[in-house]
Amino acid sequence: GQSLEQPSEVTAVEGAIVQINCTYQTSGFYGLSWYQQHDGGAPTFLSYNGLDGLEETGRFSSFLSRSDSYGYLLLQELQMKDSASYFCAVRERSNYQLIWGAGTKLIIKP
Amino acid sequence: DSGVTQTPKHLITATGQRVTLRCSPRSGDLSVYWYQQSLDQGLQFLIQYYNGEERAKGNILERFSAQQFPDLHSELNLSSLELGDSALYFCASSVSAGEARDTQYFGPGTRLTVL
């Protein structure tokens, strides 16, 4: 079936760089999105990759490789406020259904 | 503030009951999405409406139904409630139907507790 796989938890140190991977199994989709959700809060949009390659938005970058069925979110110069859960999501072409990964909890240590 | 409003913020009810959750999208957005998020779980996509019509359907139970009204607000109806329906229910909105880049803006959520 169609699914998105993410690590459940990643730990990093303040000021460092961390990569959160998202691998998928779906026959066709429009693009890969990333959302951030702080504890008790609502998800907020971070980035979107419609085409293969790297998209950069400030300290955050996102990458997509359709041939490798793989994408990632890269967070640089980590700050304590980046502690949150990060979700990848795609919309399938066949039935427009939205598929979300289970989320990666990012823990940042001082 | 995303511009998406949801009411009520909290809802406590008993098993077997029926509740209605309400969502008003951002001004100008035509799509409304409903999600369920159980404690420490991911987002489960339930259903999407675009300009009053059902656009996409996820893992929505038959006991649940939704609709989008002419003024574009949406309601999610949950009936014959079970303990397992306790969760945070999010509404999101976006400008288009969603095939291309289409940012979803999430409301603050409604926390449903079924006792």
Side-chain angles (χ1 to χ4, degrees), chain B residues 4-5 11 13 25 42 45 68 70 78 83 87 92 96 101 103 107-108 110:
Chain B
V4 178
T5 60
L11 197 50
T13 188
F45 168 64
Q68 185 179 29
L78 315 175
L83 295 177
S96 74
R101 177 195 176 118
T103 300
T110 293

Side-chain angles (χ1 to χ4, degrees), chain A residues 60-97:
Chain A
F60 294 178
S61 303
S62 58
F63 174 82
L64 175 64
S65 170
R66 291 178 187 265
S67 59
D68 294 326
S69 299
Y70 165 71
Y72 66 73
L73 179 69
L74 190 74
L75 297 85
Q76 303 182 71
E77 300 172 18
L78 285 172
Q79 301 175 10
M80 297 304 293
K81 68 178 182 179
D82 298 329
S83 295
S85 291
Y86 293 84
F87 295 89
C88 57
V90 300
R91 181 185 292 271
E92 293 197 305
R93 289 184 183 273
S94 60
N95 58 9
Y96 301 111
Q97 186 172 146

Side-chain angles (χ1 to χ4, degrees), chain B residues 70-91:
Chain B
D71 67 352
L72 300 177
H73 90 271
S74 178
E75 293 180 356
L76 178 67
N77 300 294
L78 315 175
S79 62
S80 302
L81 285 168
E82 302 174 359
L83 295 177
D85 297 327
S86 295
L88 194 54
Y89 290 84
F90 284 108
C91 166

Side-chain angles (χ1 to χ4, degrees), chain A residues 5-63:
Chain A
E5 299 293 328
Q6 300 180 238
S8 59
E9 191 175 289
V10 171
T11 301
V13 177
E14 191 176 15
I17 299 173
V18 72
Q19 178 174 312
I20 298 174
N21 297 326
C22 175
T23 57
Y24 55 85
Q25 295 176 4
T26 176
S27 56
F29 61 95
Y30 288 101
L32 181 68
S33 298
W34 288 93
Y35 285 77
Q36 177 192 61
Q37 184 181 28
H38 286 100
D39 280 348
T44 56
F45 173 81
L46 286 178
S47 70
Y48 174 81
N49 292 76
L51 303 172
D52 283 7
L54 192 68
E55 292 281 342
E56 297 180 80
T57 309
R59 294 187 297 114
F60 294 178
S61 303
S62 58
F63 174 82

Side-chain angles (χ1 to χ4, degrees), chain A residues 97-99, chain B residues 36 44-47 57-61 64:
Chain A
Q97 186 172 146
L98 287 157
I99 310 296
Chain B
Q36 179 192 58
Q44 293 295 321
F45 168 64
L46 297 178
I47 197 164
K57 206 167 187 176
N59 300 319
I60 187 167
L61 299 172
F64 296 1

